[in-house]
Amino acid sequence: MTEEIIALSRLYQKTKKEFHNIKTEYASLELGQLNATLCSIKGYFDSLLEIIPKDISLYISGRLQIKLEKEFYYDTKDSKNNTIPLVLLEDRLAFQKHSVLDRKYEGLIFGYGDEITTFIQTDTLEYLITNWKKVKAQAEQNVVHELRSMANRQLDAIFSRIQFLNTLENWKA
């Protein structure tokens, strides 16, 4: 009976070790895929940051507000009024309202209004990944709409100046 218990104990330890190795292998694989996805999402938003002329807020499905900030102001212990381009996510269903879409800022604390900004929340990232096609389509639609309205405002201002110059020219004649 003792030999059987020892054999079962060894089998249990061996099995436990093998399952631990499998779990570790898949966890690191999953983390690698998650980081690649996060980099891809961040790359997309960074490219949007490059083309927009000013800060834009995008609203996605009543859940996410994505703030593309060309110049995000923040203070550190060493200096004040630092600026960086930054994508902020406000997720209505996440534990923390504001999340930064970039791992290199993890651990830093930014003030945004009276909120605290830290790294991206896992449930927000999960929502982004699951609904990426929809999020991307809505983001593109919102950016195009914002750029068109900005261009129209600028054209209206130019046309009103032209009209004023024409009126001035006619008045002189």
Side-chain angles (χ1 to χ4, degrees), residues 11-12 25 31 38 40 62 64 84 87 92 94 103 111 131 142 145 147 157 160:
L11 179 62
Y12 170 76
E25 181 184 327
L31 186 61
L38 182 62
S40 173
L64 279 185
I84 48 171
V87 178
R92 266 187 341 112
R103 294 252 173 166
N131 301 290
N142 289 356
H145 175 74
L147 290 175
S160 68

Side-chain angles (χ1 to χ4, degrees), residues 77-119:
K77 293 176 185 175
D78 304 335
S79 61
K80 296 199 178 291
N81 297 325
N82 301 295
T83 61
I84 48 171
L86 192 62
V87 178
L88 294 172
L89 300 164
E90 262 187 55
D91 188 348
R92 266 187 341 112
L93 303 180
F95 173 69
Q96 239 173 318
K97 257 190 169 178
H98 296 282
S99 303
V100 176
L101 188 64
D102 194 328
R103 294 252 173 166
K104 71 181 173 187
Y105 303 117
E106 190 168 348
L108 296 180
I109 296 177
F110 301 97
Y112 191 83
D114 48 11
E115 299 290 336
I116 297 297
T117 304
T118 56
F119 58 94

